[in-house]
């Protein structure tokens, strides 16, 4: 087994790749801040099990009812999905819903989380190399 195949390092790599992709999505939101009828996008953060493997995906998403006319999920859970639940959501007269302040806060938090993940990844590799006598 290679050092890179360890679940904790795989989880950190997945997390770093997610942060890179999220940075791309957030930058698109900022660059389209003046585009009429543009709605900002964001990514769902990956979840990991105790072994460090990514869980979830499209098959694991719970079903929700957005209208009383929709068929109820087989699990019996009929939680409603409120699309306007975000407080402070603003739409300009042109229909654009990008808040530069919120997007820049997300970008900043994303950069800090990415830096933390890369630092942890590097320190984990160094610790493993030291443990096997190669560092």
């Amino acid at each position: 087994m290679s050092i890179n195949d360890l679940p904790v390092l795989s989880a950190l790599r997945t997390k770093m790749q997610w942060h890179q992709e999220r940075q791309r999505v957030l930058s698109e939101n900022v660059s389209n801040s003046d585009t009429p009828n543009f709605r900002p996008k964001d990514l769902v953060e990956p979840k990991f099990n105790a072994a460090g493997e990514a869980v979830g995906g499209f098959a694991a998403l719970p079903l929700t009812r957005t209208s009383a006319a929709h068929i109820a999920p087989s699990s019996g859970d009929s939680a409603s999905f409120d699309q306007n639940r975000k407080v402070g959501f603003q739409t300009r007269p042109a229909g654009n819903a990008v808040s530069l302040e919120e997007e820049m806060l997300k970008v900043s938090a994303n950069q800090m989380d990415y830096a933390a993940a890369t630092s942890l990844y590097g320190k984990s590799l160094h610790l493993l190399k030291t443990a096997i006598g190669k560092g």
Side-chain angles (χ1 to χ4, degrees):
M1 172 185 245
S2 170
I3 288 178
N4 289 327
D5 294 336
L6 294 173
V8 68
L9 295 180
S10 177
L12 285 170
R13 274 194 312 276
T14 300
K15 185 79 169 162
M16 289 186 299
Q17 290 168 349
W18 178 81
H19 283 296
Q20 289 172 344
E21 184 63 21
R22 185 172 189 225
Q23 189 72 17
R24 186 191 62 76
V25 170
L26 294 174
S27 68
E28 285 179 2
N29 290 346
V30 171
S31 66
N32 286 303
S33 65
D34 289 331
T35 304
N37 298 318
F38 182 80
R39 299 280 184 237
K41 299 175 183 112
D42 205 348
L43 299 179
V44 176
E45 190 167 0
K47 304 286 186 221
F48 300 97
N49 62 15
E53 299 166 343
V55 295
F58 294 108
L61 291 176
L63 296 175
T64 56
R65 292 175 70 182
T66 57
S67 168
H70 293 167
I71 298 172
S74 61
S75 64
D77 181 20
S78 60
S80 64
F81 178 70
D82 184 10
Q83 293 178 339
N84 297 321
R85 66 191 146 124
K86 188 174 180 182
V87 178
F89 182 79
Q90 301 174 354
T91 302
R92 292 191 232 152
N96 189 303
V98 176
S99 168
L100 286 176
E101 293 83 11
E102 289 179 19
E103 295 303 314
M104 295 313 290
L105 285 173
K106 289 178 190 177
V107 166
S108 175
N110 191 56
Q111 288 175 337
M112 289 187 297
D113 291 344
Y114 180 80
T118 55
S119 175
L120 186 56
Y121 186 82
K123 290 178 190 272
S124 297
L125 278 178
H126 181 64
L127 180 65
L128 288 170
K129 288 179 180 179
T130 301
I132 61 173
K134 297 201 178 205

